[in-house]
Amino acid sequence: MKVADPIERARALLQLRRAADAERELRGLLAQEPQHTAAHALLGLALIQQGQAEEAVREAQEAVRLAPDQWLPHYAAAQVYNRAHRPDDAIAAVGAALNLQPEYAPAWEVLARAHLLKEDWPRMLDAALRGLGLDPQDSDLASLAALAYAGLGDVRQARAAAADAVRLDPENPTAHFTLGHVELRLGDPRRAAESFREVLRLDPGFGVARDGLVAALKRRNPVYRRLSRLRGRFPQGWRLIFLLPAAPPVILVFAVVAVLHWVSWVAEAWSVLRLARGRATRLLFEGVEARVAALCLGLVAAGAVLLVLGIVLEADVMGVPGAALMALVTPVQEAAHTGSPRGRAILYGWAVLLAVAVAVSVLLAAPVAALLAVYAALATVWLATPVRGRITPAV
């Protein structure tokens, strides 16, 4: 009984998202019984919930080492690998668990989530359906099946599976989030917004649902939606730059793409600021999002004033820096929409560097420097791609 109590308390704490408290319980148990398999397995889950991926993986591997013939350590290890964004390891671990306990539906859910990380839709769907065959009332498995159908482009099945997930558990925020995600992906932002609002009603701390609601509200704006579609017709891969020596006209494509991205970023800033000021939607935004939007619109307004004055007065030293100020919207927005803190810092640093270049061009009356800043700012749509690729883990 003394051994079981800390394990049960740790499990309850993990369900309540109190990972640090669960960690303390488990470390106390391991201080008394260092070879306790379940304690190592649960400690791995507690650590991964706190973002300590390396130590969590070590604990999960220790649990497997202690009891390789038991399915639970493999199952827990698969969950740790999933959260650490190591889907191949997760697939191997949950495969070992299923070899030992093939009738355990949650293991099929973990397998489906691992294939989700790899965007392997057929295998993800197969795992979700096999889990549903064992437990047809599992709302999370139905949600995963819906995501897989959406990835495969099966609109009818995706909507049906997502609706079924909500029917199975109307109080499950994940089910409503999946329905919203499916509707958003399949082009119905109104229904998506309704689902994301329900998620936030059930769980106000569901941050990803807030992001989804913001995206849905933006896509309900016809101007924003048309700009996004137009921008999506053009490739933005930075590797196209290598085509310039062989095909100089390609530079026109770069110019069109850069301008379209700039216009889209301005439209996004306007949408965010409008929603941030709305009575019903202001709580959806963190202060930094509204401040970035206001900054971008301020750059456009100030730059437009300088540009118009430069044209009227025929003064390049005023007009070109005005255009450069307007172009700074692109690097600022690219930085704000980068998930990795390190990548975001790099892009914000790049934006500050360009702003300094604009200021220097004004002080030295050197419009050529400001013109180069315009080109560099608009080109950030390609510069940001390798930064995100090197800094942000692929999910």
Side-chain angles (χ1 to χ4, degrees):
M1 188 66 180
K2 292 182 178 178
V3 174
D5 284 344
I7 292 295
E8 293 306 319
R9 285 198 297 270
R11 282 177 174 156
L13 290 167
L14 287 173
Q15 290 176 352
L16 294 171
R17 301 179 187 176
R18 294 171 55 185
D21 293 333
E23 180 187 355
R24 280 193 291 272
E25 289 282 348
L26 294 165
R27 289 196 184 279
L29 174 58
L30 287 171
Q32 300 175 23
E33 297 192 32
Q35 305 298 310
H36 197 291
T37 303
H40 282 290
L42 292 176
L43 180 56
L45 294 175
L47 291 169
I48 198 66
Q49 286 188 19
Q50 299 176 77
Q52 301 175 42
E54 292 185 9
E55 190 175 357
V57 168
R58 286 197 298 271
E59 291 295 333
Q61 290 173 343
E62 177 64 10
V64 171
R65 186 190 68 81
L66 290 171
D69 56 343
Q70 295 180 18
W71 67 271
L72 182 59
H74 295 286
Y75 171 68
Q79 295 185 71
V80 170
Y81 287 131
N82 262 348
R83 287 176 174 260
H85 306 304
R86 293 170 57 172
D88 291 326
D89 291 329
I91 291 169
V94 77
L98 286 168
N99 286 335
L100 296 167
Q101 184 69 292
E103 302 302 313
Y104 189 55
W108 290 104
E109 178 186 336
V110 173
L111 180 59
R113 292 185 185 280
H115 287 306
L116 171 61
L117 290 176
K118 300 184 70 173
E119 296 187 358
D120 189 341
W121 309 120
R123 288 188 173 89
M124 176 186 173
L125 179 60
D126 178 69
L129 292 179
R130 292 187 69 171
L132 283 171
L134 296 169
D135 185 1
Q137 303 303 312
D138 192 313
S139 177
D140 288 336
L141 281 167
S143 296
L144 289 167
L147 293 176
Y149 280 126
L152 292 168
D154 192 332
V155 178
R156 184 180 63 83
Q157 292 279 26
R159 282 193 170 125
D164 195 41
V166 173
R167 180 187 61 80
L168 289 170
D169 190 355
E171 299 301 311
N172 186 346
T174 302
H176 290 281
F177 173 79
T178 300
L179 182 58
H181 173 82
V182 169
E183 296 292 358
L184 190 61
R185 183 163 183 167
L186 301 179
D188 193 334
R190 181 184 62 80
R191 290 185 178 180
E194 292 174 357
S195 295
F196 290 133
R197 285 194 182 98
E198 183 63 16
V199 175
L200 293 170
R201 183 188 70 80
L202 294 168
D203 184 358
F206 206 124
V208 182
R210 189 202 61 177
D211 296 340
L213 178 54
V214 171
L217 292 173
K218 289 177 185 175
R219 291 191 192 180
R220 293 183 68 177
N221 182 333
V223 175
Y224 181 87
R225 187 165 60 248
R226 287 169 186 168
L227 282 172
S228 297
R229 289 174 181 171
L230 184 60
R231 185 178 68 179
R233 294 179 182 177
F234 294 91
Q236 64 168 324
W238 60 274
R239 295 176 182 83
L240 282 178
I241 198 169
F242 295 112
L243 294 177
L244 291 180
V250 173
I251 196 170
L252 179 61
V253 176
F254 276 80
V256 171
V257 173
V259 172
L260 285 174
H261 274 75
W262 180 83
V263 173
S264 294
W265 282 132
V266 173
E268 172 138 345
W270 173 259
S271 298
V272 168
L273 196 60
R274 179 176 60 83
L275 293 171
R277 291 177 177 273
R279 182 176 301 176
T281 55
R282 67 181 60 177
L283 296 178
L284 298 174
F285 294 89
E286 297 177 359
V288 64
E289 294 172 302
R291 288 195 294 270
V292 168
L295 171 62
C296 289
L297 293 179
L299 288 171
V300 172
V305 170
L306 287 177
L307 181 60
V308 170
L309 287 176
I311 293 173
V312 172
L313 301 176
E314 298 183 353
D316 291 343
V317 295
M318 185 178 297
V320 180
L325 276 181
M326 297 172 69
L328 286 176
V329 169
T330 295
V332 170
Q333 287 279 45
E334 289 285 352
H337 288 78
T338 297
S340 162
R342 187 179 173 192
R344 189 162 55 247
I346 291 173
L347 291 174
Y348 270 131
W350 170 247
V352 170
L353 184 63
L354 292 176
V356 171
V358 174
V360 169
S361 72
V362 173
L363 293 175
L364 300 180
V368 174
L371 186 60
L372 292 175
V374 172
Y375 297 150
L378 294 177
T380 306
V381 295
W382 293 284
L383 296 175
T385 301
V387 169
R388 291 193 183 103
R390 289 180 180 274
I391 302 299
T392 307
V395 177

